[in-house]
């Protein structure tokens, strides 16, 4: 048997013997000829063979031909096969202008004949059968895009001397709101699943690492069923020392987004257009920056008043400001900056001249928050005061406060939900479509 060739590489080969392996997408079993569309991780190809329906006495090869025909007639969709045959370029073949004339076919793993999902199955049903759903080229492309996006960001980090860290996901305390904590039995005590690497990425600044990143899981016991919430998600985090303000963090953030989007557009732009009907745009820098208070005024003028008394933005407000930014600047991204201290965590640095505001931002992409970033408070006395201000007891986070008792540089960073970026980039309706295996309040399997 010749060495396996990926379907995408067939076009560059001359006519001749090849072996392709993958799963059966369709079988067309005609009286005189049989066609298989075989798909692998790189594409689909048509396989063809004349059908032999009965033994021919004076043809010693007819028994083998009959066996091949019968095997193909019985092939269930989804079976994994390996096929050796003659590659033939032929413009008349709609699928890629080539086909493989089958000489031998080995069924490596036969599928059950009844496929449990169809193209029109509900999202929930497709999630039940995620491994079959992922055979769809559109789903497959999402994870190629994710790979390229993360690789480009990682390249940026590595080229710029960032250190990669892996912080523990079993924690002794909350890192964000206590309301969204998963508790885990931990020998004779209770552990919590990390909601964010927040405290430990800050620790790296006190450790003198300078610039760090982490891509890892984060857990939130959030009972909501929105299109943008999961109970477990991949968080993309970065943190840098020696900053003047959150402006430095935003600069880093937009550079990373540009690196990621440039790579995705270059490598997958055409496929994304074909399968998602979306034109990926590499955003221009600097991204628009609008202080939150100003953003609220802008959307009020557009006729929408955020119905919240707590100074925050709501999802409709995010959509409205995104529409304004698109119309005014032709941009898909906007940094909303300077959130009120009342709605930001204790660790955000407050404005020197206005303690009611923080050196923080949210990054909105196509109308949805994808990230939160901030300059952190590194002066331990101020940090303790800000904790008390929020009704927290500094003693409870003594290990964290220690990070700032032995010298710490000014620093800041951000956390970004990977699935949200992919969902908004591809104009998908839910993060469930772009998460390998989604976890939500009612989904723990597969
Ligand atoms: P925040 O809580 O805003 O900030 O989270 C940062 C980003 O993570 C994503 N995200 C989620 N994605 C899916 N499902 C969820 N339940 C979910 N919750 C959050 C969002 C969000 O913008 N420590 C800070 C970050 C920082 O300041 O560095 C934090 O975790 O895209």
């Amino acid at each position: 048997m010749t060495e396996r060739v990926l379907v995408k590489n067939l076009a560059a080969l001359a006519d001749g013997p090849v072996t392709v392996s993958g799963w059966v997408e369709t079988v067309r079993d005609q009286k005189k000829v049989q066609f298989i569309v075989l798909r692998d991780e790189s594409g689909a190809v048509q396989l063809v063979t004349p059908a032999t329906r009965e033994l021919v006495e004076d043809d010693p090869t007819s028994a083998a031909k009959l066996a091949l025909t019968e095997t193909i007639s019985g092939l269930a969709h989804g079976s994994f096969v390996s096929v050796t045959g003659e590659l033939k370029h032929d413009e008349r073949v709609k699928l890629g202008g080539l086909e493989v004339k089958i000489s031998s076919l080995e069924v490596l793993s036969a599928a059950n004949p009844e496929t449990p999902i169809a193209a029109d199955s509900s999202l929930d049903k497709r999630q039940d059968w995620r491994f079959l759903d992922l055979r769809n080229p559109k789903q497959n492309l999402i994870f190629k895009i994710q790979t390229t996006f993360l690789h480009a960001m990682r390249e940026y980090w590595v080229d710029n001397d960032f250190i990669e860290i892996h912080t523990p996901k079993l924690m002794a305390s909350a890192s964000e709101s206590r309301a969204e904590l998963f508790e885990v039995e931990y020998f004779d005590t209770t552990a919590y699943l990390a909601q964010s690497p927040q405290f430990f990425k800050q620790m790296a600044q006190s450790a003198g690492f300078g610039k760090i990143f982490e891509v890892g899981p984060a857990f939130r016991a959030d009972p909501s069923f929105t299109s943008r919430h999961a109970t477990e998600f991949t968080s993309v985090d970065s943190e840098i020392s020696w900053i003047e303000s959150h402006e430095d963090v935003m600069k880093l953030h937009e550079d990373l987004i540009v690196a990621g989007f440039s790579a995705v557009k270059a490598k997958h732009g055409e496929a994304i257009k074909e399968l998602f009907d979306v034109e990926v745009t590499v955003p221009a820098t600097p991204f628009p920056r609008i202080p939150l208070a100003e953003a609220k005024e802008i959307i009020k003028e557009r006729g929408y008043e955020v119905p919240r008394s707590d100074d925050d933005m709501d999802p409709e407000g995010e959509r409205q400001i995104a529409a304004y930014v698109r119309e005014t600047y032709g941009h898909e991204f906007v940094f909303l900056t300077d959130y009120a201290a009342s709605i930001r965590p204790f660790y955000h640095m407050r404005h020197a001249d206005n303690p009611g505001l923080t050196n923080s931002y949210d990054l909105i992409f196509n109308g949805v928050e994808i990230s939160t970033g901030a300059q952190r408070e590194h002066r331990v006395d101020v940090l303790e005061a800000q904790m008390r201000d929020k009704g927290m007891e500094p003693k409870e986070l003594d290990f964290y406060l220690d990070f700032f008792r032995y010298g710490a540089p000014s620093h800041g960073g951000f956390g970004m939900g990977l699935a949200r970026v992919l969902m908004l980039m591809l104009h998908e309706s839910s993060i469930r479509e772009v998460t390998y295996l989604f976890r939500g309040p009612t989904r723990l399997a597969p």
Side-chain angles (χ1 to χ4, degrees):
M1 197 189 269
T2 51
E3 201 178 315
R4 179 186 178 220
V5 178
L6 282 178
V7 167
K8 71 169 182 185
N9 294 333
L10 289 173
L13 295 183
D15 288 357
V18 289
T19 297
V20 286
S21 307
W23 63 93
V24 173
E25 199 163 79
T26 54
V27 176
R28 257 192 304 142
D29 194 5
Q30 296 175 357
K31 191 154 183 271
K32 297 217 163 108
V33 60
Q34 294 175 306
F35 296 96
I36 298 173
V37 172
L38 174 124
R39 185 173 288 283
D40 71 7
E41 60 270 41
S42 70
V45 61
Q46 175 166 290
L47 314 176
V48 62
T49 185
T52 298
R53 301 292 174 185
E54 55 196 32
L55 282 175
V56 179
E57 264 177 31
D58 53 1
D59 177 359
T61 65
S62 82
K65 285 180 184 160
L66 179 63
L68 176 64
T69 299
E70 284 175 351
T71 301
I72 294 174
S73 296
L75 262 186
H77 165 102
S79 299
F80 276 69
V81 299
S82 203
V83 173
T84 296
E86 285 290 311
L87 170 67
K88 194 165 181 333
H89 289 265
D90 181 346
E91 278 171 12
R92 289 167 304 172
V93 180
K94 281 203 196 103
L95 187 60
L98 52 82
E99 62 184 4
V100 175
K101 188 164 178 297
I102 303 170
S103 357
S104 68
L105 180 149
E106 186 187 354
V107 181
L108 293 150
S109 168
N112 280 352
E114 300 294 332
T115 307
I117 53 165
D120 60 352
S121 294
S122 68
L123 178 55
D124 213 42
K125 183 103 189 267
R126 287 193 287 117
Q127 302 268 292
D128 287 341
W129 295 96
R130 186 62 166 155
F131 66 98
L132 294 178
D133 189 39
L134 289 172
R135 288 186 190 171
N136 182 329
K138 200 171 160 180
Q139 301 291 341
N140 184 287
L141 178 60
I142 292 169
F143 297 93
K144 289 178 177 159
I145 295 166
Q146 179 174 288
T147 304
T148 302
F149 183 65
L150 282 174
H151 180 69
M153 287 199 293
R154 192 175 287 278
E155 213 163 51
Y156 177 97
W157 281 315
V158 172
D159 287 349
N160 288 282
D161 297 326
F162 283 66
I163 296 175
E164 179 167 17
I165 59 170
H166 298 284
T167 61
K169 304 307 159 201
L170 285 167
M171 307 271 288
S173 57
S175 38
E176 300 293 329
S177 137
R178 288 197 70 88
E180 296 180 352
L181 263 189
F182 279 117
E183 284 187 13
V184 182
E185 267 180 49
Y186 196 73
F187 305 107
D188 53 359
T189 183
T190 301
Y192 304 97
L193 295 183
Q195 299 161 301
S196 155
Q198 185 61 40
F199 294 161
F200 299 134
K201 61 182 183 168
Q202 287 190 259
M203 186 188 93
Q205 311 311 305
S206 299
F209 278 25
K211 299 186 274 191
I212 62 96
F213 69 96
E214 174 168 4
V215 178
F219 303 88
R220 306 273 170 112
D222 184 336
S224 53
F225 286 90
T226 75
S227 59
R228 53 173 135 175
H229 286 95
T231 49
E232 176 176 353
F233 63 95
T234 301
S235 184
V236 176
D237 285 84
S238 199
E239 195 82 15
I240 50 175
S241 289
W242 303 111
I243 63 168
E244 298 277 335
S245 74
H246 50 316
E247 175 57 32
D248 297 312
V249 184
M250 289 190 277
K251 279 202 190 100
L252 164 69
H253 205 154
E254 60 194 7
D255 281 355
L256 280 162
I257 296 276
V258 167
F261 275 62
S262 302
V264 167
K265 187 174 178 66
K267 192 159 182 184
H268 309 292
E270 272 175 39
I272 293 172
K273 180 83 192 113
E274 190 187 322
L275 294 178
F276 289 88
D277 197 20
V278 171
E279 190 75 54
V280 175
T281 307
V282 178
T285 54
F287 298 179
R289 290 141 163 77
I290 308 178
L292 186 68
E294 204 179 298
K296 285 186 162 182
E297 285 306 313
I298 291 168
I299 59 179
K300 198 166 157 189
E301 272 168 35
R302 292 171 64 91
Y304 180 72
E305 196 147 1
V306 181
R308 288 174 79 150
S309 54
D310 63 1
D311 302 325
D312 209 350
M313 194 61 127
D314 69 344
E316 179 54 27
E318 286 171 355
R319 280 190 286 276
Q320 289 283 341
I321 198 67
Y324 164 82
V325 168
R326 205 175 301 118
E327 289 158 21
T328 314
Y329 305 105
H331 216 286
E332 294 179 325
F333 290 83
V334 56
F335 286 116
L336 297 181
T337 66
D338 308 279
Y339 280 69
S342 57
I343 52 159
R344 290 308 227 194
F346 72 93
Y347 56 78
H348 282 198
M349 185 177 272
R350 298 181 184 178
H351 284 202
D353 56 356
N354 181 357
L357 295 179
T358 56
N359 282 3
S360 73
Y361 68 85
D362 271 8
L363 178 56
I364 312 295
F365 173 32
N366 282 339
V368 177
E369 175 204 319
I370 56 167
S371 186
T372 296
Q375 177 171 18
R376 324 300 186 185
E377 182 51 68
H378 61 281
R379 297 161 297 185
V380 74
D381 50 332
V382 183
L383 206 45
E384 285 186 31
Q386 289 185 182
M387 288 180 85
R388 289 204 185 86
D389 191 40
K390 296 248 173 218
M392 298 166 72
E393 181 42 62
K395 264 268 154 274
E396 281 175 28
L397 281 181
D398 217 34
F399 79 94
Y400 170 73
L401 291 169
D402 275 346
F403 302 159
F404 309 99
R405 289 183 175 128
Y406 299 87
S410 66
H411 64 282
F414 67 83
M416 178 166 76
L418 179 60
R420 288 201 189 174
V421 180
L422 290 166
M423 167 179 85
L424 295 155
M425 177 198 279
L426 301 172
H427 300 190
E428 283 290 270
S429 58
S430 165
I431 58 170
R432 288 199 262 170
E433 294 282 5
V434 299
T435 304
Y436 184 63
L437 285 169
F438 172 77
R439 287 290 176 264
T442 56
R443 173 143 319 257
L444 263 178

